[in-house]
Amino acid sequence: MKCAQFPGVRNIELTELEQPVIKNDDDVLIRVGSVGVCGSDIHYYVDGRIGDQVLDFPYIPGHECSGTVVKTGKKVKHIKPGDKIAVEPAVSCGKCDQCLAGRENTCRELKFLGTPGELRGCMTEYLIMPERNCFLLPAGMTLEQGAFAEPLSISIYGLKYVKEMDGKKMAILGSGPIGLTALLEARFRGAETLYVTDKLDNRLLTAKKCGADWIGNPDDEDIVQAILEKEPLGLDVVAECCGQQEAIDQAVDLLKPGGILLLIGIPTVDRISFNISRLRRKEITIYNVRRQNDCLGLAVERIHKGQVKIDSLITHSGNLSQTKEFYDMVADYKDGVIKAMITI
């Protein structure tokens, strides 16, 4: 089968591997259809690592994917050959203390697609996953929409920490795919006012089209001052979606006492810091969002029912031979890219 892999940092080549075969009774053989290029993929592409997760080359990337069922193990009951599915990239053990506590996203034995030392990525023609990781796409949903359900599920999961969204005033710092899906989810759940920031004006314009009440570029203005002029008591919630120290500091300044800070972005550095005096005095609650937990099915439903409209966020679509072109585009923020999708 064909695949795209990194032979080294900032390099991609097309090659061939043996097609995987079903070994377990709950295995599903999938003909991969669409793969999204994620910001975490770009960290690996540019730096060869995320924190202590360091690549061994060659490396096959990708974890946002969908496809068509080709074959199933003999105990698979809920899907069949020909079905179109979205893929949950995290394979949990189901037995450890975390899984038994309903925290499968922090499973002690978690295996994640495209993660060093865990599972090979999905930038391949064929993939095998357990049945429990395969979510049937309703009629009318495209494979691109199915692949996009994975990043949407992260925003759905992160915003679950805000029990009641109705009437909330919220800022989203960073309007890449995760920030924009957080915006769409917050709007769907009834947020009253949504402030969105980014350093790329094209993304801010997209945020405005997606329902942001106010947009601002921190390179052009003091976004904390500008927002607090409108909200002198501060905001209820801030979702930090870019992984930048500057944005984390802005989030603390923007929150009202008792506010909620959602850390969703992935920093490229090993450590971040807080103004502990300000954090303590405001008694801010911080939630560090680890991927998602049991939200992929809900993301598929949101897209299918039109509750969250993600199609306009897919700005570039190409094929496997364009993988390097697309990775460079996303890494360098070229051509107004928001979400690039690759058809396998």
Side-chain angles (χ1 to χ4, degrees):
M1 66 176 181
K2 295 178 182 178
C3 72
Q5 67 178 15
F6 300 170
V9 170
R10 201 95 195 206
N11 195 8
I12 295 176
E13 64 181 11
L14 300 185
T15 187
E16 291 193 358
L17 297 173
E18 290 293 322
Q19 182 177 316
V21 296
I22 286 178
K23 296 179 181 179
N24 303 309
D25 290 344
D26 65 340
D27 280 349
V28 177
L29 177 63
I30 305 158
R31 176 63 171 88
V32 178
S34 185
V35 180
V37 180
C38 175
S40 61
D41 298 331
I42 298 303
H43 287 325
Y44 287 132
Y45 179 56
V46 173
D47 301 320
R49 63 182 294 169
I50 297 177
D52 60 1
Q53 292 177 317
V54 181
L55 298 187
D56 287 325
F57 297 107
Y59 159 82
I60 297 175
H63 61 269
E64 302 176 2
C65 70
S66 63
T68 303
V69 176
V70 175
K71 187 177 180 181
T72 63
K74 61 184 180 182
K75 290 188 178 179
V76 173
K77 298 179 179 179
H78 302 294
I79 54 176
K80 64 185 184 303
D83 285 343
K84 290 182 171 58
I85 58 166
V87 175
E88 161 56 54
V91 181
S92 55
C93 73
K95 300 177 181 178
C96 70
D97 63 320
Q98 295 296 292
C99 287
L100 295 176
R103 294 185 52 88
E104 294 186 352
N105 60 325
T106 54
C107 168
R108 304 285 185 178
E109 303 295 330
L110 193 68
K111 306 295 184 186
F112 197 85
L113 289 178
T115 298
E118 296 181 15
L119 297 176
R120 187 169 67 192
C122 60
M123 201 69 77
T124 60
E125 287 187 296
Y126 293 91
L127 176 70
I128 285 183
M129 293 294 280
E131 180 186 19
R132 65 184 182 276
N133 287 70
C134 301
F135 289 77
L136 186 66
L137 296 182
M141 273 191 70
T142 68
L143 290 175
E144 282 194 341
Q145 290 174 325
F148 209 131
E150 196 277 339
L152 173 58
S153 72
I154 295 171
S155 294
I156 292 173
Y157 174 62
L159 267 62
K160 277 192 170 185
Y161 286 112
V162 185
K163 302 303 181 184
E164 292 293 334
M165 188 63 75
D166 282 349
K168 292 291 191 296
K169 297 180 178 183
M170 177 179 179
I172 296 167
L173 309 183
S175 56
I178 297 298
L180 290 169
T181 53
L183 165 63
L184 292 169
E185 174 68 8
R187 180 60 75 203
F188 170 70
R189 286 189 51 201
E192 179 180 316
T193 311
L194 290 164
Y195 298 86
V196 179
T197 69
D198 202 276
K199 294 185 176 184
L200 298 176
D201 289 337
N202 70 291
R203 293 189 172 186
L204 290 174
L205 292 175
T206 300
K208 193 69 174 177
K209 293 175 183 177
C210 288
D213 297 288
W214 180 95
I215 54 175
N217 186 327
D219 283 344
D220 298 334
E221 63 180 314
D222 184 332
I223 62 102
V224 172
Q225 179 180 337
I227 293 173
L228 290 182
E229 284 179 357
K230 297 178 176 296
E231 305 290 349
L233 297 181
L235 302 178
D236 301 293
V237 183
V238 176
E240 195 287 321
C241 296
C242 58
Q244 299 294 317
Q245 180 66 58
E246 175 187 7
I248 293 168
D249 293 338
Q250 292 164 353
V252 174
D253 289 341
L254 286 169
L255 283 164
K256 65 170 55 173
I260 294 174
L261 171 56
L262 304 174
L263 294 178
I264 304 177
I266 300 177
T268 57
V269 297
D270 291 335
R271 290 180 180 270
I272 60 171
S273 63
F274 294 97
N275 181 327
I276 190 61
S277 177
R278 192 170 302 240
L279 196 73
R280 179 179 59 82
R281 290 177 181 178
K282 286 188 176 183
E283 199 179 39
I284 288 170
T285 298
I286 301 174
Y287 290 103
N288 179 44
V289 178
R290 173 62 169 166
R291 294 173 179 157
Q292 67 91 14
N293 188 21
D294 196 28
C295 292
L296 187 64
L298 184 56
V300 169
E301 180 181 325
R302 289 270 203 274
I303 296 170
H304 175 59
K305 291 183 176 180
Q307 296 167 334
V308 171
K309 299 182 185 297
I310 51 88
D311 288 351
S312 65
L313 306 186
I314 301 173
T315 55
H316 295 76
S317 299
N319 56 46
L320 195 61
S321 67
Q322 296 174 281
T323 302
K324 187 175 191 317
E325 174 189 343
F326 276 29
Y327 269 67
D328 285 333
M329 180 193 306
V330 177
D332 298 330
Y333 303 101
K334 294 178 180 176
D335 198 31
V337 65
I338 295 177
K339 174 58 72 175
M341 308 291 291
I342 295 173
T343 299
I344 305 297

